[in-house]
């Protein structure tokens, strides 16, 4: 039966420097049985191991931008995948410069991966949502954020699942196994007496598809409000407390209050804060600030799986 479960596990929640036992940015998005990695800061593969998440199940990696705290873990992870015998290809959605960086490192090591790396580049992504990846589970759009270097936000939309067969209802009408595939395809059922049983009666409504938006590292933008409108869950970086609003502006980052205002204006289901500056040991001040604007705010805590 189709589940359409979407969740995100936080692997790294720290800004630039690993500090306070927090790691640089990475998140594992799970849609049913499919795994997608979002950013891959240093130490990501160790975090995956620590939280018992199977690295080889990752089929796609999304990299927001090429500051080291968002991708320095990628080569190490790819190398481990290779050493552990991976043969299935992996897809990387990223700025095109990353391909060269990966290839230089692989060539210098004199080796080749025994699996294919496929790329989709985000260089031409603009303010409007652009499709950058699609499979049977998800459609992923990207849009431009504003940081010191080109940076993309991602919106992950689950696809609608087909209606599933209602076995209890089928039994009432003595439907045989050979007729089930047609019912799953949407056909009505006609019984021996010529009575039509409508498809809707024999099938169950699929769970509603969920959506997740990931926005790091960026100034707060009006355009982000437009692009993430109504998503079930928004991750928006909140590197600083509102006390550091000027510093946030100077470094092209956002504060808790700014992230919460975007969440509120966009009418999202919930807001996840993260990318915390190393200056914050205790994160409760950041959470309290965000909640003063948008009550459905939560902290990204490493190892925690957030159901969307
Ligand atoms: Zn960063």
């Amino acid at each position: 039966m189709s589940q359409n479960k979407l969740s995100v596990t936080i692997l790294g929640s720290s800004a630039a420097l690993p500090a306070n036992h927090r790691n640089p940015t990475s998140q594992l998005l799970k849609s049913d049985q499919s795994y997608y990695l979002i950013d891959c800061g240093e130490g990501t593969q160790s975090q995956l191991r620590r939280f018992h998440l199977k690295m080889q199940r990752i089929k796609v990696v999304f990299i927001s931008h090429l500051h080291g705290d968002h991708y320095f873990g990628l080569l190490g992870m790819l190398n481990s995948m290779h050493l552990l015998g991976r043969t299935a290809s992996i897809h990387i959605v990223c700025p095109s410069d990353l391909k060269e960086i990966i290839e230089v490192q692989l060539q210098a090591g004199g080796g080749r991966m025994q699996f294919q790396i496929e790329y989709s580049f985000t260089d031409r992504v603009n303010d409007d949502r652009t499709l950058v990846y699609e499979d049977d589970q998800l459609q992923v759009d990207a849009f431009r954020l504003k940081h010191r270097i080109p940076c993309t936000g991602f919106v992950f939309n689950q696809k609608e699942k087909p209606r599933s067969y209602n076995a209890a209802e089928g039994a009432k009408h003595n439907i045989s196994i050979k007729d089930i595939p047609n019912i799953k395809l949407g056909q009505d059922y006609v019984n021996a007496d010529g009575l039509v049983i409508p498809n809707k009666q024999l099938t169950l409504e699929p769970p509603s598809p969920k959506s997740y938006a990931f926005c790091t590292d960026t100034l707060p933008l009006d355009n982000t409000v437009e692009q993430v409108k109504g998503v079930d869950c928004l991750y928006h970086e909140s590197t600083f407390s509102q006390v550091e609003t000027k510093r946030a502006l100077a470094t092209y980052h956002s504060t808790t209050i700014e992230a919460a205002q975007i969440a509120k204006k966009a009418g999202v289901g919930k807001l996840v804060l993260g990318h915390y500056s190393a200056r914050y040991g205790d994160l409760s001040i950041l959470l309290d600030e965000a909640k003063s604007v948008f009550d459905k705010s939560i902290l990204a805590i490493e190892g925690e799986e957030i159901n969307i």
Side-chain angles (χ1 to χ4, degrees):
M1 180 167 156
S2 50
Q3 298 271 314
N4 249 26
K5 179 178 154 69
L6 190 67
S7 75
V8 64
T9 303
I10 307 300
L11 303 172
S13 63
S14 185
L17 288 171
N20 304 304
H21 306 287
R22 296 192 295 256
N23 288 257
T25 304
S26 186
Q27 302 185 356
L28 186 76
L29 185 74
K30 295 187 212 169
S31 181
D32 283 349
Q33 303 302 313
S34 298
Y35 283 19
Y36 307 84
L37 192 71
I38 314 171
D39 278 350
C40 188
E42 186 187 343
T44 294
Q45 59 167 320
S46 306
Q47 291 290 82
L48 287 164
R49 242 191 308 274
R50 186 174 159 208
F51 302 130
H52 310 288
L53 297 161
K54 293 204 174 80
M55 184 170 67
Q56 299 288 37
R57 273 173 64 174
I58 295 169
K59 51 192 276 192
V60 193
V61 181
F62 296 86
I63 300 291
S64 62
H65 67 301
L66 295 184
H67 278 154
D69 57 317
H70 295 262
Y71 83 96
F72 280 175
L74 185 58
L75 245 294
M77 186 183 79
L78 293 173
N79 193 51
S80 295
M81 286 172 163
H82 166 75
L83 294 173
L84 293 168
R86 181 178 183 121
T87 53
S89 65
I90 195 163
H91 198 119
I92 303 178
V93 179
C94 61
S96 60
D97 284 350
L98 185 57
K99 183 178 184 211
E100 204 177 327
I101 293 167
I102 289 171
E103 285 178 352
V104 164
Q105 295 199 41
L106 290 179
Q107 277 160 18
R112 281 181 55 104
M113 297 288 177
Q114 60 192 345
F115 58 91
Q116 286 280 321
I117 305 177
E118 288 154 16
Y119 293 91
S120 296
F121 299 131
T122 52
D123 304 33
R124 271 173 295 169
V125 166
N126 58 28
D127 285 349
D128 296 320
R129 276 160 64 157
T130 308
L131 180 72
V132 289
Y133 177 79
E134 186 171 20
D135 62 18
D136 58 338
Q137 286 283 326
L138 298 177
Q139 175 181 319
V140 186
D141 294 334
F143 63 96
R144 185 161 51 189
L145 295 170
K146 193 161 175 58
H147 198 44
R148 274 189 208 284
I149 59 171
C151 185
T152 18
F154 296 104
V155 183
F156 301 84
N157 283 297
Q158 275 188 317
K159 291 188 172 170
E160 184 130 17
K161 288 275 161 71
R163 297 175 68 88
S164 58
Y165 179 62
N166 185 343
E169 196 62 27
K172 281 190 207 165
H173 301 280
N174 294 318
I175 290 173
S176 68
I177 290 175
K178 70 170 175 42
D179 291 315
I180 295 176
N182 285 337
I183 293 168
K184 283 185 172 171
L185 288 172
Q187 291 180 14
D188 295 337
Y189 176 72
V190 184
N191 73 11
D193 303 327
L195 184 71
V196 177
I197 323 267
N199 186 270
K200 268 207 159 158
Q201 197 179 326
L202 297 169
T203 54
L204 298 164
E205 190 84 29
S208 56
K210 303 285 192 312
S211 54
Y212 177 62
F214 175 90
C215 301
T216 201
D217 298 12
T218 183
L219 287 170
L221 303 172
D222 289 339
N223 185 52
T224 300
V225 175
E226 295 307 311
Q227 304 310 322
V228 306
K229 207 150 239 167
V231 297
D232 294 297
C233 182
L234 165 68
Y235 170 84
H236 195 290
E237 72 125 294
S238 47
T239 308
F240 296 109
S241 151
Q242 67 163 333
V243 181
E244 302 285 349
T245 301
K246 271 192 189 148
R247 173 170 289 272
L249 185 64
T251 56
Y252 289 80
H253 284 296
S254 303
T255 68
T256 51
I257 297 288
E258 290 163 341
Q261 283 166 340
I262 287 171
K264 188 178 178 181
K265 286 184 202 161
V268 305
K270 62 183 152 197
L271 168 68
V272 181
L273 305 171
H275 200 265
Y276 315 118
S277 161
R279 75 194 60 214
Y280 305 109
D282 176 10
L283 300 172
S284 58
I285 174 185
L286 301 178
L287 182 61
D288 291 345
E289 284 181 5
K291 281 190 154 188
S292 74
V293 174
F294 186 71
D295 188 45
K296 290 171 282 180
S297 300
I298 59 172
L299 293 169
I301 302 290
E302 292 174 18
E304 283 190 6
E305 182 176 6
I306 299 162
N307 284 315
I308 296 166

